[in-house]
Amino acid sequence: MTDVITPLMGQYRRLKSELPPGTLLFFRLGDFYEMFYDDAVEASRLLDVTLTKRQQVPMCGVPYHAAELYLAKLIKAGRKVAISEQMEDPATAQGLVRRDVVRIVTPGTVLEEQVLDARRHNYLAGLCHAAGVFGLAMLDLSTGEFWIEQFTSPAALGDALARSAPSECVVPESLRASAELAALFPDSGPLRSGELTVREDWTFELDFGRDLLQRHFRVLSLDGFGCDGQPVALRAAGAVLHYVTDELRRNASHVRALHVKTSADFLMLDEGTLAHLDLVPTRSSAAGAPTLLGVLDQTATPMGSRLLRDWLMRPLARHAAIVARQDALEVLTRDRGLLYDVRTQLAEIRDLERLMARLGAGGGNARELQALARSLAALPALRARLAGQPAGGLLADGAAAITLLPELVDLIGRAIADDPPLAIKEGGMIRRGYHAELDELLKLATEGRQWLADYQAREQARTGIKSLKVRHNNIFGYYIEITKSNLAAAPADYIRKQTMVNAERFITPELKEYENKIVGAQDRATALEYELFLQIREAAVQQTAAIQRSAAAIAQLDVLTALADRALVLGYIRPRITDGDAIRIRDGRHPVIEQLAEAERFVPNDVLLDGAANRLIIITGPNMAGKSTYIRQVALLVVMAQMGAFIPAAEAEIGVVDRVFTRVGASDDLARGRSTFMVEMQETANILHNATAHSLIVLDEIGRGTSTFDGISIAWAVAEHLHNQVKAKTLFATHYHELTDLALTLAGVKNYNVLVRETGDRIAFLRRIVPGAADKSYGIHVARLAGLPDGVIGRAREILANLEEGEFGDQGQPKLARPRKGKAGASPNQLALF
Ligand code: ADP
Ligand code: MG
């Protein structure tokens, strides 16, 4: 036994030693992939397969035909898996069969359908840092999408990572050790450290990367991609491509272009905002929590769904681009017949991007070719239905970008059988009539089988043995079997081959001659089918660039029609987009809350924000009145409007903003598990540093995470700074009534409150936002509603009355109820609270 294992284990150890650290090795042994040592221990636990031991070596294995399933499980568990194959036929190999690692699959590069979420990109990120600039490269190997972006602050980079949520991130060794990276990847950050892949620094060098990218795209310079100004990001892109093609030994031929993203074209949403607004499900959000994506995603294709998510997380910041989308929506909402037809046709189209990735990587089968052909066959009707749309519009552009490829559809239709198998080396894929030689071979094989049936009947008649059978096994092929009791009747020309307990097995020269014909024909037919399949697959792969272009156009048409459908079904209107400063919404609704089945009927509200007298809106009102809902609603409607979508309102005018910031006070953000006051202040600092006069800021209960005096002081100072220095449009919900005094001295501050109706000692929430400050605290009413004993409520009223008597404060300074009388602070430029 030792003699058998040793050379084999030597080979195993060599392959394993060449792998990146932490990679599990699937070692091909016959019909199994085996794992040894620690790999076996870990995999047996993750895969729930039996761990055995040979020569003290722990091992476990999975059958090769089910390998994809096990691979998927390991990748989902965040592991990297190298797959080794036998590189020669064990039957003819001299000595030890040669084995090699053919590919390595990692969470960021997986193509297996069982692991991928059709509605999300699966990104592999590359990260690089030089001279204060962060370069980011994002590759979705499963669709071929590849883009780069540069940032000048770690925070902006972190936001971009949060938006794309990569499954894996390649970083240079030197950055791994740096404090910047540690700051970017805290445990709750966009990446858990386990998903970091650390590579050597030289793979991030600019010349190396540029050269690799040029060779990959077969261009003499990268100028055509417009990435001249992005050297740091290019370095990241080079490292990513090197990692995928050289280290993981993967085929990336379907990656056909590199795109450059520039922030100025987009409405920037930072990570906190993505989470606070519930735009899309994030890692920190509760499973199944309602999101805007959930409300809007009525797309018909996975490509459309992925694009919608991109649009949501990167709304536009350019007037013309927003209006172009709105114009398309306008056409689609006015012509319901067109909308219905286009959506029906889109539903016929499969995930073209991922189909092409699998076919291009050499893994596609006949069913995928068929899915491709069916999807392509739906394109002429789609394009025709969009004919006559206004030139220059997104609908006409989309139709024009769709390439029909009738020859390919015809080829696949003629060549691939109706219900082809998953396997590509076992025949059954090619349609009769496609290839004369194949037909001939298959006919021979069929005739052979018929001849065998005839032969059996003939021999039964000749010998008079009714139970005589012609059978087949792998050792000596076709044979005649006669039971012991009939042996006497066996003819003399039968050649004895094997004696069984109850029967004897014979062959005849005639039988052997036919066997050669049948088996030979079948084998040649199967080999020929494989060859023909490869040719057809290659014909499809040749069209990758055109199909990717069509896919992008289809994704866009899908998102536009889905948004049009939502607009009609949910009663949305087209907001007027301006380059001005005003945001005016009449009867706006919260798009997510109004859809909740268990929610009360939603009460619409207005908003007016501008760069002048309505710059900073302070909203007061009791707990549960609807403050948080209202300020988030305004931010959501702006995001939707800048996506180019229609919005839930009666009428709206939106001056384009460059960024939306939201910050939710620590004690109100418990659900996200980031409840420290420190985090609250960090996020507030980020807003104060990065917001501009064209930003929209939503602050919910800022300052609440600390003591009252502290909290009011900070909230007050933040509000003043935003009003005087930043001049951003701001919505500030607070339960500190003291802040309403800001309106007395600051020209751009307006007070609003949430209307509450009092009947006796009870209150009803009317959900109406009205001008003016809430004039008293309703806390005691709420306490009463909550069932606090009457005695306690009565005593609270007494104390409140006493406190209100002690109220003091100068104009322009916050008033603060205190238990004892005191004198206002003397210094005018100090925040003299006490
Ligand atoms: P606050 O921030 O003032 O404490 P919230 O915004 O959290 O209050 O709202 C409390 C509840 O009221 C939420 O459950 C929300 O669904 C409901 N609500 C808020 N605004 C409206 C509205 N305009 N119409 C209907 N229900 C609303
Ligand atoms: Mg609130």
Side-chain angles (χ1 to χ4, degrees):
M1 199 70 208
T2 323
D3 293 336
V4 182
I5 282 188
T6 306
L8 196 69
M9 290 319 286
Q11 188 184 44
Y12 171 82
R13 289 208 182 91
R14 186 179 57 73
L15 291 186
K16 177 85 183 161
S17 71
E18 288 165 4
L19 298 177
T23 309
L24 298 169
L25 176 57
F26 270 23
F27 189 72
R28 182 71 183 262
L29 265 181
D31 283 347
F32 280 80
Y33 291 108
E34 299 286 355
M35 280 156 284
F36 300 102
Y37 300 105
D38 291 351
D39 281 12
V41 176
E42 188 177 10
S44 68
R45 185 173 51 80
L46 291 170
L47 299 176
D48 204 12
V49 296
T50 320
L51 184 69
T52 59
K53 255 190 190 166
R54 262 209 227 164
Q55 309 284 310
Q56 297 308 309
V57 177
M59 60 183 283
C60 71
V62 299
Y64 90 99
H65 57 81
E68 205 169 285
L69 219 75
Y70 291 103
L71 178 69
K73 268 195 185 174
L74 291 172
I75 299 296
K76 272 191 195 154
R79 299 306 192 279
K80 299 175 181 175
V81 181
I83 295 156
S84 78
E85 295 295 352
Q86 295 170 165
M87 304 310 283
E88 50 192 354
D89 188 344
T92 56
Q94 306 275 315
L96 189 61
V97 178
R98 196 160 61 77
R99 289 181 178 78
D100 256 325
V101 170
V102 293
R103 65 193 173 113
I104 303 175
V105 183
T106 70
T109 59
V110 60
L111 299 184
E112 274 67 18
E113 249 173 338
Q114 294 101 318
V115 186
L116 294 171
D117 177 346
R119 304 194 152 257
R120 302 193 56 161
H121 276 294
N122 187 49
Y123 284 120
L124 168 68
L127 207 59
C128 188
H129 179 217
V133 175
F134 291 90
L136 179 66
M138 284 285 180
L139 172 64
D140 183 347
L141 195 65
S142 70
T143 64
E145 188 186 296
F146 196 16
W147 52 266
I148 57 173
E149 189 168 3
Q150 281 191 182
F151 308 91
T152 47
S153 79
L157 171 67
D159 292 339
L161 282 171
R163 278 193 295 271
S164 306
S167 307
E168 190 180 350
C169 185
V170 185
V171 297
E173 242 164 355
S174 54
L175 186 63
R176 177 74 186 100
S178 77
E180 281 143 328
L181 192 71
L184 264 182
F185 302 109
D187 283 348
S188 61
L191 281 175
R192 293 183 297 263
S193 51
E195 292 155 341
L196 281 185
T197 296
V198 180
R199 306 310 312 145
E200 289 168 58
D201 281 16
W202 65 263
T203 65
F204 287 82
E205 268 165 27
L206 183 56
D207 289 344
F208 170 78
R210 189 179 276 141
D211 190 52
L212 185 67
L213 291 162
Q214 285 172 355
R215 273 187 286 122
H216 176 85
F217 294 117
R218 300 200 196 105
V219 292
L220 291 175
S221 113
L222 297 174
D223 294 353
F225 297 123
C227 42
D228 322 342
Q230 310 262 341
V232 188
L234 268 187
R235 293 165 56 165
V240 162
L241 191 62
H242 170 74
Y243 173 64
V244 169
T245 55
D246 289 10
E247 297 195 38
L248 303 185
R249 301 166 217 197
R250 304 292 294 279
N251 181 327
S253 58
H254 61 289
V255 179
R256 297 294 172 103
L258 182 65
H259 299 284
V260 177
K261 297 215 171 176
T262 31
S263 309
D265 294 341
F266 297 98
L267 166 58
M268 301 293 286
L269 303 172
D270 59 62
E271 189 188 355
T273 301
L274 286 181
H276 297 321
L277 291 184
D278 291 319
L279 292 178
V280 301
T282 60
R283 275 197 185 152
S284 50
S285 55
T291 62
L292 183 56
L293 180 66
V295 173
L296 296 183
D297 193 358
Q298 290 293 321
T299 52
T301 72
M303 300 160 286
S305 185
R306 292 194 294 267
L307 184 66
L308 175 62
R309 181 185 285 264
D310 289 352
W311 281 22
L312 254 174
M313 297 210 281
R314 285 175 85 90
L316 300 169
R318 299 261 186 250
H319 182 271
I322 299 168
V323 169
R325 289 181 185 173
Q326 289 188 325
D327 286 345
L329 289 193
E330 179 104 32
V331 170
L332 292 166
T333 48
R334 290 207 174 156
D335 187 344
R336 287 179 191 233
L338 176 67
L339 176 61
Y340 176 82
D341 290 347
V342 172
R343 279 173 63 74
T344 311
Q345 283 149 2
L346 285 169
E348 302 291 311
I349 302 171
R350 290 270 310 274
D351 195 338
L352 288 174
E353 291 173 337
R354 287 194 169 156
L355 278 175
M356 291 319 291
R358 276 198 292 276
L359 291 168
N365 58 32
R367 284 195 201 169
E368 277 158 341
L369 277 181
Q370 205 165 53
L372 173 66
R374 290 203 179 129
S375 302
L376 293 177
L379 300 187
L382 177 61
R383 213 170 79 164
R385 191 63 182 87
L386 287 164
Q389 288 305 321
L394 294 187
L395 298 177
D397 284 358
I402 293 174
T403 309
L404 297 184
L405 301 173
E407 297 85 8
L408 182 59
V409 175
D410 175 64
L411 172 67
I412 297 173
R414 276 187 298 116
I416 303 294
D418 277 338
D419 206 2
L422 286 171
I424 59 178
K425 290 187 177 172
E426 288 163 24
M429 299 178 288
I430 305 292
R431 191 186 286 285
R432 297 288 156 275
Y434 172 67
H435 196 269
E437 190 190 336
L438 177 65
D439 287 352
E440 190 56 37
L441 288 169
L442 289 171
K443 189 161 145 253
L444 271 179
T446 320
E447 280 172 1
R449 279 191 292 278
Q450 183 56 50
W451 181 88
L452 282 172
D454 293 348
Y455 181 69
Q456 175 174 300
R458 204 156 23 101
E459 291 301 304
Q460 282 172 354
R462 175 156 82 101
T463 58
I465 308 171
K466 292 233 156 43
S467 62
L468 179 146
K469 287 271 171 338
V470 174
R471 294 206 148 112
H472 182 268
N473 71 22
N474 285 331
I475 300 163
F476 39 82
Y478 288 95
Y479 55 84
I480 297 165
E481 190 169 282
I482 298 177
T483 54
K484 283 262 157 70
S485 52
N486 290 314
L487 264 187
D493 56 335
Y494 278 20
I495 304 163
R496 189 179 306 241
K497 243 346 213 187
Q498 196 182 19
T499 304
M500 312 293 290
V501 180
N502 293 320
E504 290 282 315
R505 290 172 174 179
F506 303 92
I507 56 169
T508 68
E510 199 184 4
L511 182 59
K512 283 295 125 181
E513 191 191 321
Y514 266 89
E515 179 183 309
N516 286 338
K517 269 196 199 163
I518 300 161
V519 176
Q522 190 61 59
D523 284 355
R524 273 180 290 143
T526 305
L528 182 56
E529 281 210 37
Y530 180 61
E531 209 173 288
L532 294 171
F533 167 76
L534 290 185
Q535 283 169 14
I536 299 156
R537 187 167 75 183
E538 182 52 29
V541 169
Q542 286 297 321
Q543 302 296 339
T544 300
I547 295 171
Q548 285 176 342
R549 262 197 311 280
S550 297
I554 288 159
Q556 176 149 318
L557 289 170
D558 193 8
V559 175
L560 291 170
T561 47
L563 291 177
D565 170 81
R566 294 284 80 185
L568 288 171
V569 173
L570 305 176
Y572 293 176
I573 55 102
R574 174 178 185 162
R576 202 160 64 80
I577 303 295
T578 77
D579 282 322
D581 267 324
I583 294 175
R584 279 195 191 85
I585 299 170
R586 187 165 63 78
D587 284 345
R589 285 133 39 210
H590 191 299
V592 182
I593 292 182
E594 76 163 343
Q595 295 306 320
L596 298 181
E598 68 273 23
E600 60 197 79
R601 200 181 57 77
F602 197 86
V603 178
N605 273 300
D606 302 343
V607 72
L608 170 58
L609 277 162
D610 59 30
N614 300 284
R615 193 184 306 158
L616 197 155
I617 306 288
I618 292 181
I619 299 123
T620 43
N623 246 338
M624 288 302 286
K627 302 182 295 297
S628 300
T629 305
Y630 174 69
I631 59 178
R632 281 184 172 83
Q633 165 183 319
V634 174
L636 279 168
L637 296 186
V638 169
V639 165
M640 286 175 79
Q642 292 194 211
M643 278 173 71
F646 288 7
I647 63 173
E651 201 182 342
E653 170 189 332
I654 308 285
V656 173
V657 304
D658 60 357
R659 292 173 146 228
V660 172
F661 293 95
T662 64
R663 177 56 218 151
V664 178
S667 57
D668 284 271
D669 199 16
L670 286 171
R672 300 195 194 278
R674 305 182 54 158
S675 58
T676 70
F677 181 62
M678 184 66 183
V679 174
E680 175 183 334
M681 286 300 108
Q682 279 168 351
E683 292 193 6
T684 307
N686 170 38
I687 295 176
L688 297 186
H689 288 309
N690 293 307
T692 74
H694 301 291
S695 304
L696 173 66
I697 302 176
V698 166
L699 297 175
D700 199 353
E701 305 283 9
I702 285 299
R704 199 160 157 175
T706 182
S707 73
T708 308
F709 290 176
D710 255 16
I712 295 178
S713 314
I714 292 168
W716 185 280
V718 165
E720 268 184 0
H721 182 81
L722 287 173
H723 178 275
N724 297 335
Q725 258 77 52
V726 179
K727 301 188 164 69
K729 289 179 276 289
T730 306
L731 290 160
F732 198 147
T734 182
H735 73 300
Y736 292 137
H737 290 249
E738 293 77 7
L739 291 187
T740 57
D741 282 1
L742 280 164
L744 299 176
T745 50
L746 301 181
V749 174
K750 284 280 174 301
N751 285 317
Y752 286 82
N753 72 93
V754 199
L755 208 58
V756 169
R757 192 177 52 215
E758 255 183 290
T759 37
D761 278 348
R762 310 199 166 262
I763 55 171
F765 296 121
L766 299 183
R767 312 289 184 215
R768 293 289 305 171
I769 307 289
V770 294
D775 51 0
K776 76 195 265 201
S777 167
Y778 289 86
I780 293 175
H781 296 78
V782 176
R784 185 191 168 79
L785 286 178
L788 239 59
D790 285 350
V792 174
I793 298 288
R795 175 68 182 135
R797 282 191 203 294
E798 250 175 68
I799 297 170
L800 178 65
N802 288 340
L803 290 172
E804 277 172 351
E805 254 172 52
E807 188 176 273
F808 66 94
D810 299 330
Q811 252 209 2
Q813 310 292 351
K815 271 188 282 182
L816 188 68
R818 296 198 59 196
R820 280 190 312 118
K821 293 210 183 241
K823 196 163 175 354
S827 161
N829 48 10
Q830 173 195 336
L831 186 68
L833 278 167
F834 320 121

